[in-house]
Amino acid sequence: MQIVFFVALVALASFCQNLTGFAFGLIFVGVAGATHLMSIADAANVACLLSIVNGVSYMRAYRFTPNWPMLRPMLISSVIGVVGGVVLLHWLSGNALSGLRMLLGVVIVLCALLLLTQKKALEQPSGPGAMWVAGVSSGLLGGLFATPGPPMVYHLYRQPLDRTLVRHCLFAMFVTCSLLRAVMVAAEGQLNWSVFGWTALAFPVVTGVTWWSARHPPALPRKLVEWMVCGLLILSGLSLLWSGWQASQPEAVVPSDATALHGDFVRIVRIS
């Protein structure tokens, strides 16, 4: 039964990722941690590896052609942001991290609501400065809290761009950030055999869902997809708020099970 639930969760996360361009880790880690399917640390590592599998499968299935003028600043800025986020992670105190996490959660929720109320995309693309700000911000979130998506998602979904191009660029950025994170996690010795076992089990599910989505794309209205994007952004922001609030509570009042989960979360943040 546990394996069936795991396979269904991976399929759902892959489908949403293929549809919107992000949210695999948000859905998988959130549900796996909430249902105690596995530790949050293992769930985040599995999600990291599966994001790479999903991204590569997507690029092959959709015949991805890089738009380098757009991708180059995205990738460079997000990598710089990840490195900066890791440096900040080791420099900031626990209370400062909790406060920053909650502040970022509020900002992401507000940005999602602004995107939701936006009647139409911008008439002209934003300048290169906005792309660099979004890329560095996404990288910082990835380095600090293993949540790299929201700033770039918000930026790209406001632009007058084809949604397929938006998804392609998001996939390219997430694969790059996930590869960097996987190398860092491996260097810390956190990729255990359990993580590889779950990843191997999910591999055919991720590739199969991506292949099926490419050949039978769901005919969903653009507005519905954008509502899904905003809903997932709000969920991401609320999860940052909740985890920040939990981390700020005195350990003495946290039940033993919650303490174990919180310890897993802190460990995965420190290697992200």
Side-chain angles (χ1 to χ4, degrees):
M1 189 64 184
Q2 185 184 37
I3 293 178
V4 173
F5 178 74
F6 171 76
V7 168
L9 177 58
V10 169
L12 173 64
S14 298
F15 177 78
C16 291
Q17 176 92 351
N18 292 334
L19 190 62
T20 64
F22 77 112
F24 185 98
L26 172 65
I27 294 172
F28 180 81
V29 177
V31 176
T35 58
H36 305 284
L37 179 66
M38 62 184 72
S39 71
I40 294 178
D42 281 352
N45 288 335
V46 171
C48 178
L49 296 180
L50 290 180
S51 292
I52 298 172
V53 174
N54 184 220
V56 173
S57 300
Y58 181 92
M59 292 176 189
R60 292 189 55 166
Y62 286 85
R63 298 177 182 176
F64 177 73
T65 302
N67 184 328
W68 288 117
M70 187 173 174
L71 269 178
R72 192 175 292 109
M74 280 182 63
L75 300 182
I76 295 174
S77 59
S78 61
V79 167
I80 292 173
V82 169
V83 175
V86 173
V87 172
L88 280 176
L89 181 65
H90 291 284
W91 180 66
L92 293 174
S93 67
N95 288 335
L97 277 174
S98 298
L100 180 59
R101 188 182 295 124
M102 289 188 283
L103 175 62
L104 290 172
V106 171
V107 171
I108 290 170
V109 170
L110 291 177
C111 287
L113 293 175
L114 288 174
L115 188 60
L116 195 61
T117 57
Q118 181 178 278
K119 300 300 181 182
K120 59 180 180 179
L122 299 176
E123 293 184 1
Q124 297 293 330
S126 300
M131 176 69 79
W132 277 86
V133 169
V136 172
S137 300
S138 290
L140 281 172
L141 268 179
L144 283 166
F145 309 122
T147 313
M152 187 58 73
V153 171
Y154 172 73
H155 174 71
L156 291 184
Y157 270 94
R158 294 179 68 236
Q159 305 303 311
L161 299 170
D162 179 75
R163 291 304 182 244
T164 300
L165 175 61
V166 168
R167 290 196 298 273
H168 284 182
C169 290
L170 288 174
F171 267 99
M173 188 189 79
F174 291 146
V175 168
T176 302
C177 290
S178 294
L179 282 170
L180 176 60
R181 185 179 181 279
V183 170
M184 296 169 66
V185 169
E188 293 286 337
Q190 299 295 326
L191 292 183
N192 53 49
W193 286 110
S194 175
V195 170
F196 286 121
W198 285 114
T199 303
L201 179 62
F203 182 90
V205 180
V206 172
T207 54
V209 169
T210 303
W211 176 87
W212 184 87
S213 298
R215 280 152 183 75
H216 307 281
L220 298 180
R222 174 169 171 163
K223 197 64 180 177
L224 177 59
V225 174
E226 291 177 354
W227 272 74
M228 290 181 61
V229 168
C230 293
L232 291 170
L233 282 175
I234 291 173
L235 182 60
S236 177
L238 292 177
S239 70
L240 281 172
L241 275 170
W242 173 249
S243 62
W245 180 84
Q246 280 191 315
S248 66
Q249 300 306 298
E251 290 188 9
V253 299
V254 180
S256 58
D257 289 346
T259 302
L261 284 175
H262 177 258
D264 284 337
F265 180 81
V266 170
R267 282 193 293 274
I268 195 58
V269 164
R270 292 197 177 280
I271 60 176
S272 60

